[in-house]
Amino acid sequence: MYTELCKKLGIDVPIFAFTHCRDVVVEVSKAGGIGVFGAAFVNSLEELKEQLDWIDAHIGDHIYGFDIVIPNSAVGQGSGMSPEEQQDKLWEMIPKEHTDFTNKIIDEHSVPKWHDDSRPPMGAWTMEQVMPMLEDALKRPKCKVIVNALGTPPDNVIKMVQDCGRLIGALTGTKKHAQAHKKAGLDFIVANGGEGGGHCGEVGSIVCWPELIDAVAPMPVLAAGGIGNGRQMLAAMGMGAAGVWTGSLWLTVEEAHAQMAQKESYLKAESTDAVRTKSWTGKNCRLLRNDWSEAWEDSDTPDPLPFPLQLLLTSDLRRRSAMYASSGETQKIADNACGQVIGQINEIESCRGVVSRIIGEYVDALEALNALMPEG
């Protein structure tokens, strides 16, 4: 389990934990893996600094990663506007039909209104919003890994990160994009199988992993999508992965900041409940099926808007469903992103407990596999 990537980063096990929760970042890194803080829903540079300051103060001598979203294409990106001007322009582009339809669904499910009249922020989903945050992350000595969640990072971003002595990688679910990542000079890629939560492709992990590993060899590849236990990690490592990238595993841990109502939705879910839908971001994204996702599938309702307009359209519901997770019928329309592996997650564990369990299961599965070898 100790790979060259572990050696390069100085971590004990190649378990990467993607999360939006700072507490999870810290606890996974302390347990021997590496927590990766997702900044997609951080709304300002000031908010990011508060989060990363806390991580720096609590993580000790351990390291962490930083996940950003710089899509190759997005409505309004590259406009030269400030983030505030950009959001103003994007709001103007949302049709009233979509706003009315969204508000109707929210009202029907009795989700409490936001406590003030502030406009919901979009988060960090364009170059203009992300770059100041990336620059701040690169000033932090314990932040050693940068990952782009959507597409190959621009050349200037790759150079900026590598010139600072950090590693930079990116997610992909296709051979074509994996080869583009390699050509661009990234340090590693994350091979994201279609089972994975959030934005994912269509190719299942058992096909995706070896195909991408072979396509970019000897470049290190982290396997993602469908990893919830040590047996699945062993399968990935047996295919040549340099480690695993996990996300759904950390949604229900003790340290996760989600309210119990949301955690219970995850704990009760089956693998078939995690479906791909454009209803939240405008791109195919895997979340728990509910009234919200099904409403957008009806033939007589509006089609989801392109990214990031749909993301902006759903921003108010996203913040309200997080704040009022247990109110009304909020969970029936909540933004509960997860992969199909959610069906294996049936109890609340600590971050350290999850890491320890995966290692134990990995060892047991390896021993069982080795026992199948003939003697002599």
Side-chain angles (χ1 to χ4, degrees):
M1 189 185 274
Y2 191 75
T3 65
E4 283 297 315
L5 200 54
C6 291
K7 186 176 181 180
K8 186 174 289 188
L9 292 172
I11 58 177
D12 296 332
V13 290
I15 298 174
F16 288 65
F18 168 78
T19 176
H20 296 291
C21 181
R22 64 189 188 183
D23 300 76
V24 175
V25 170
V26 167
E27 293 306 315
V28 173
S29 290
K30 285 184 174 180
I34 176 170
V36 181
F37 184 74
F41 294 107
V42 175
N43 298 314
S44 67
L45 181 58
E46 291 69 28
E47 181 183 339
L48 177 76
K49 288 181 176 180
E50 179 182 340
Q51 298 290 330
L52 297 189
D53 284 349
W54 190 93
I55 292 173
D56 287 339
H58 291 82
I59 204 165
D61 295 330
H62 304 282
I63 66 167
Y64 62 96
F66 186 60
D67 181 277
I68 55 177
V69 180
I70 304 178
N72 286 328
S73 62
V75 176
Q77 180 160 282
S79 60
M81 302 178 185
S82 70
E84 294 76 18
E85 292 172 331
Q86 187 179 59
Q87 288 198 38
D88 288 341
K89 186 65 175 178
L90 290 173
W91 274 111
E92 293 173 1
M93 297 173 68
I94 295 177
K96 184 177 184 299
E97 175 191 18
H98 286 71
T99 303
D100 291 344
F101 178 62
T102 296
N103 291 336
K104 178 175 179 290
I105 299 174
I106 296 173
D107 291 342
E108 288 175 348
H109 289 80
S110 303
V111 181
K113 294 189 179 298
W114 195 244
H115 55 78
D116 59 35
D117 295 329
S118 63
R119 190 174 71 180
M122 183 173 72
W125 293 84
T126 65
M127 175 75 78
E128 291 81 1
Q129 295 161 311
V130 169
M131 286 307 295
M133 297 184 180
L134 176 60
E135 290 167 0
D136 182 78
L138 292 177
K139 296 175 183 177
R140 299 170 184 271
K142 297 172 187 176
C143 181
K144 295 294 188 182
V145 177
I146 305 296
V147 181
N148 188 36
L150 282 178
T152 305
D155 290 342
N156 65 310
V157 172
I158 297 172
K159 185 177 187 303
M160 179 192 307
V161 173
Q162 292 177 336
D163 285 352
C164 291
R166 271 70 165 194
L167 301 185
I168 183 168
L171 277 70
T172 183
T174 69
K175 178 180 177 180
K176 176 183 176 181
H177 292 151
Q179 291 173 327
H181 289 347
K182 181 178 182 180
K183 184 177 180 181
L186 298 186
D187 298 296
F188 66 94
I189 71 164
V190 181
N192 192 19
E195 298 95 325
H199 293 112
C200 62
E202 299 181 4
V203 182
S205 292
I206 200 168
V207 174
C208 174
W209 295 341
E211 182 177 46
L212 270 57
I213 288 167
D214 291 346
V216 301
M219 186 181 189
V221 175
L222 300 178
I227 296 173
N229 59 45
R231 290 176 294 161
Q232 290 160 326
M233 181 174 182
L234 178 62
M237 302 296 279
M239 294 181 194
V244 293
W245 177 275
T246 57
S248 300
L249 267 174
W250 316 104
L251 294 171
T252 61
V253 292
E254 294 173 2
E255 297 88 348
H257 57 61
Q259 294 186 28
M260 185 53 65
Q262 185 177 22
K263 290 184 180 181
E264 288 175 350
S265 293
Y266 287 131
L267 293 170
K268 292 186 295 186
E270 301 289 340
S271 59
T272 51
D273 293 327
V275 298
R276 293 169 76 237
T277 173
K278 293 183 178 181
S279 63
W280 279 99
T281 72
K283 291 180 178 289
N284 274 316
C285 190
R286 193 177 293 283
L287 308 100
L288 289 184
R289 178 197 292 111
N290 58 20
D291 290 355
W292 176 269
S293 60
E294 292 189 347
W296 288 88
E297 297 294 331
D298 292 343
S299 58
D300 59 346
T301 60
D303 291 330
L305 298 168
F307 178 92
L309 294 179
Q310 186 73 13
L311 181 76
L312 197 60
L313 176 68
T314 58
S315 57
D316 183 47
L317 175 55
R318 184 175 293 105
R319 68 176 180 177
R320 287 162 68 180
S321 64
M323 176 67 73
Y324 311 117
S326 61
S327 300
E329 295 182 310
T330 297
Q331 285 305 300
K332 290 187 177 182
I333 58 170
D335 169 23
N336 291 336
C338 62
Q340 290 180 326
V341 76
I342 199 68
Q344 295 176 208
I345 301 171
N346 302 308
E347 62 179 334
I348 294 177
E349 303 174 87
S350 67
C351 290
R352 183 170 294 275
V354 172
V355 173
S356 178
R357 173 174 61 78
I358 291 175
I359 294 171
E361 292 167 344
Y362 180 99
V363 171
D364 290 344
L366 181 58
E367 290 177 349
L369 193 62
N370 287 336
L372 299 177
M373 294 292 291
E375 297 182 2

